[in-house]
Amino acid sequence: MQDDPVIRVVTKVLTPAIMLFALYVQFHGDYGPGGGFQAGVIFASAFILNAIVFGMNRGRHVWPAKFNLQCIALGVILYGGTGIASLFMGGNFLDYNVLSNDPIAGQHLGILLIEFGVGLTVASVMVGLFFAFANRTQHLRLLDLPSSSDDGTSSKDKPKANAKPKAKAKAKTNTKTNGAKAKQVSTAK
């Protein structure tokens, strides 16, 4: 897919549209269907599409592993921090009414922060899972770890596909007579 110009151009056009739709689902979650989980999955699909079309190396360049872990942690901290902030302001855990002077404004602020934390965490986990499964064989090869197969044996236990089997060289001596001369021929099997 990396060499097809039509797929590359369509992906370049669709990626921002997918991200924009994810933001719409994220911020519309206060008023209708949608929210952080759905937006996170949609947002992650834009990066996954990019990695599938342009290659895993470019995908890792756009969304590095360290950034991915930071986003997962930031989303969880945002979610938990909103609940703890409401505790410190005199309410219950995740009681949004106390986050602002106006209870309705506090509800909107709390839901926005919670949904953003959920969306960030879900998007990061989805991208992380994709890279974990998509790069598994390459990652194992880079780490020089044996990969297990269905029959329970590791790849180091099996012979390599392009390796030639070691043949036991047994010399077999044939004697052929040609007139008065005898000739010995040695063959290996």
Side-chain angles (χ1 to χ4, degrees), residues 123-145:
S124 300
V125 168
M126 293 297 291
V127 170
L129 285 173
F130 170 74
F131 282 123
F133 285 113
N135 280 339
R136 187 169 191 281
T137 56
Q138 180 183 5
H139 188 69
L140 290 176
R141 190 171 51 241
L142 290 175
L143 292 176
D144 195 30
L145 294 175

Side-chain angles (χ1 to χ4, degrees), residues 130-168:
F130 170 74
F131 282 123
F133 285 113
N135 280 339
R136 187 169 191 281
T137 56
Q138 180 183 5
H139 188 69
L140 290 176
R141 190 171 51 241
L142 290 175
L143 292 176
D144 195 30
L145 294 175
S147 63
S148 61
S149 63
D150 292 338
D151 60 357
T153 60
S154 71
S155 62
K156 288 187 177 182
D157 297 337
K158 294 183 178 182
K160 294 180 181 176
N162 58 357
K164 295 179 183 175
K166 295 178 182 177
K168 295 179 182 177

Side-chain angles (χ1 to χ4, degrees), residues 7-188:
I7 293 176
R8 293 171 65 95
V9 169
V10 169
T11 300
K12 286 181 182 180
V13 170
L14 278 181
T15 300
I18 293 171
M19 290 180 184
L20 187 62
F21 181 66
L23 290 175
Y24 167 75
V25 170
Q26 170 76 41
F27 293 116
H28 191 266
D30 288 353
Y31 308 108
F37 187 85
Q38 295 88 341
V41 171
I42 295 169
F43 200 75
S45 70
F47 288 99
I48 291 170
L49 176 67
N50 188 359
I52 288 172
V53 172
F54 294 106
M56 299 304 288
N57 290 336
R58 176 143 183 228
R60 267 292 173 209
H61 180 72
V62 171
W63 192 295
K66 185 176 180 181
F67 176 72
N68 195 36
L69 291 174
Q70 291 170 344
C71 286
I72 292 171
L74 181 64
V76 172
I77 289 171
L78 192 57
Y79 185 91
T82 303
I84 291 174
S86 62
L87 277 176
F88 284 138
M89 296 177 118
N92 294 327
F93 186 74
L94 296 178
D95 182 15
Y96 310 133
N97 293 333
V98 296
L99 293 177
S100 180
N101 293 335
D102 182 24
I104 294 176
Q107 286 284 329
H108 285 295
L109 177 63
I111 289 173
L112 183 72
L113 290 173
I114 290 294
E115 293 295 332
F116 185 72
V118 169
L120 187 61
T121 301
V122 167
S124 300
V125 168
M126 293 297 291
V127 170
L129 285 173
F130 170 74
F131 282 123
F133 285 113
N135 280 339
R136 187 169 191 281
T137 56
Q138 180 183 5
H139 188 69
L140 290 176
R141 190 171 51 241
L142 290 175
L143 292 176
D144 195 30
L145 294 175
S147 63
S148 61
S149 63
D150 292 338
D151 60 357
T153 60
S154 71
S155 62
K156 288 187 177 182
D157 297 337
K158 294 183 178 182
K160 294 180 181 176
N162 58 357
K164 295 179 183 175
K166 295 178 182 177
K168 295 179 182 177
K170 292 184 180 178
K172 188 176 183 183
T173 308
N174 292 334
T175 306
K176 293 185 180 180
T177 58
N178 187 2
K181 280 186 174 179
K183 189 193 259 185
Q184 288 190 347
V185 178
S186 177
T187 60

